[in-house]
Amino acid sequence: MRLSLPAKTLILLLLAVFAVGCHREKKQDETEVLPVEQMYETAKDALMAGNESKAIRYYTRLIARFPFGPYTEQSQMELAFAQYKDGKNDEALSTINRFIKTYPTQKNVAYAYYLRGIVNFDRDRGFLANWANQDPTKREMASTLQSFEDFNELVTKFPDSRYTPDARQRMIYLRDNLSRAQVHVAQYYYKRGAYVAAINRSKDVFERFTRTPAAGDALALTVLSYKALGQEKLASDAERVLKLNYPDHPYFAGHYPDYGHWWMRLVPFHG
């Protein structure tokens, strides 16, 4: 059946009206029309409900539409938290760093430093479980070290912050991990006859991470490495320091290093 010219014209007009209507409906996206208060509440409710993707979308659009004001400042911090919870660590760190740069004196900026430390802290949270399956010389400790520095900056700049006590506890844990990682690498070098490299790694532990459990192991490896190099005077000096500070170290019973069980000492609460 052939349509007449007026009928064709009517159909084209109807299609045009339908297309315009769809276009208008698209433009009525809530994130484009809601006032700032409702945008914030919607994003906050989504975050509290565990819908991080929706929260991120609303926070992001709020910040773009309303670049100034208290809602925007708060939204940036909550956006960073939503990104972190959604596994978008790089995006979370970018948001946090931008917030710190833009609002260095904002009343809640201490939280930004704390959250930055938490993001980096959780990146290496499972490293103990995976350690035994990795070449220790290739183990990336950058996030662990960065987390320690983030928390240290918080503690230094905001000693009375509500987040500082927890940051201090995490720093103790991170120092222990960093020192153990260095000792493990030193053990790796010592076992392969790279005694100078083992000494350098060990020195890094008892110079940078004093009063950590691994410092005794670092001193013991230094003694053994100097002996292997024929440096008896240096070995004797290091052994005297080890005896003074760690008189019960397994080295003195001839049980160090014990490669067969080194990994068990990294398992939390192992008896």
Side-chain angles (χ1 to χ4, degrees):
M1 180 178 68
R2 295 173 63 85
L3 294 175
S4 64
L5 185 60
K8 288 181 179 178
T9 303
L10 178 62
I11 289 172
L12 290 174
L13 285 172
L14 288 172
L15 288 172
V17 170
F18 178 75
V20 170
C22 289
H23 182 66
R24 283 181 177 171
E25 188 174 337
K26 275 186 177 179
K27 293 190 71 173
Q28 294 303 306
D29 185 338
E30 270 194 344
T31 62
E32 300 297 332
V33 296
L34 284 179
V36 64
E37 295 87 351
Q38 290 184 37
M39 283 279 285
Y40 175 77
E41 290 301 326
T42 302
K44 181 77 171 181
D45 289 344
L47 181 59
M48 297 298 290
N51 189 348
E52 286 87 10
S53 59
K54 181 177 180 180
I56 289 170
R57 184 162 65 91
Y58 274 77
Y59 282 130
T60 301
R61 196 66 198 122
L62 184 155
I63 293 166
R65 286 182 58 206
F66 308 98
F68 306 103
Y71 282 105
T72 301
E73 293 178 17
Q74 186 64 23
S75 291
Q76 287 191 38
M77 272 296 83
E78 292 177 16
L79 169 62
F81 182 75
Q83 290 167 331
Y84 156 64
K85 295 295 288 183
D86 202 36
K88 297 178 171 63
N89 292 325
D90 289 335
E91 293 178 24
L93 290 172
S94 294
T95 302
I96 293 166
N97 290 332
R98 187 162 54 248
F99 180 89
I100 291 173
K101 184 177 180 180
T102 306
Y103 309 105
T105 60
Q106 206 261 6
K107 63 179 182 178
N108 295 319
V109 72
Y111 174 73
Y113 286 95
Y114 177 72
L115 182 58
R116 186 167 65 180
I118 290 293
V119 173
N120 283 311
F121 182 88
D122 280 353
R123 282 187 167 190
D124 274 350
R125 184 171 52 181
F127 95 95
L128 290 174
N130 299 324
W131 186 276
N133 296 321
Q134 300 186 19
D135 181 339
T137 61
K138 296 179 181 179
R139 172 68 184 130
E140 179 58 64
M141 297 296 292
S143 294
T144 300
L145 182 58
Q146 184 60 56
S147 178
F148 181 85
E149 293 175 353
D150 292 336
F151 288 132
N152 187 55
E153 192 170 6
L154 167 66
V155 168
T156 302
K157 291 185 175 180
F158 307 96
D160 300 322
S161 164
R162 59 183 292 194
Y163 308 106
T164 296
D166 183 69
R168 290 186 190 277
Q169 291 300 311
R170 290 176 187 269
M171 287 175 68
I172 294 171
Y173 171 82
L174 291 168
R175 278 173 59 87
D176 190 19
N177 285 355
L178 288 165
S179 62
R180 286 180 183 275
Q182 292 289 64
V183 164
H184 181 50
V185 176
Q187 287 179 338
Y188 177 89
Y189 286 137
Y190 176 77
K191 187 177 182 180
R192 285 154 182 76
Y195 303 119
V196 174
I199 290 169
N200 289 335
R201 285 284 183 168
S202 297
K203 281 185 175 179
D204 188 59
V205 174
F206 53 77
E207 287 178 358
R208 293 177 58 202
F209 304 110
T210 55
R211 298 187 299 278
T212 61
D217 289 351
L219 276 167
L221 282 169
T222 301
V223 175
L224 292 167
S225 297
Y226 277 136
K227 285 184 175 182
L229 291 169
Q231 299 290 330
E232 294 300 329
K233 175 66 167 61
L234 293 173
S236 178
D237 291 343
E239 189 174 61
R240 188 164 52 252
V241 175
L242 178 63
K243 184 69 174 178
L244 180 65
N245 292 279
Y246 304 93
D248 299 322
H249 193 275
Y251 163 84
F252 295 108
H255 298 153
Y256 187 83
D258 184 355
Y259 294 110
H261 303 285
W262 69 265
W263 59 274
M264 292 304 292
R265 295 199 303 275
L266 297 182
V267 180
F269 311 118
H270 175 70

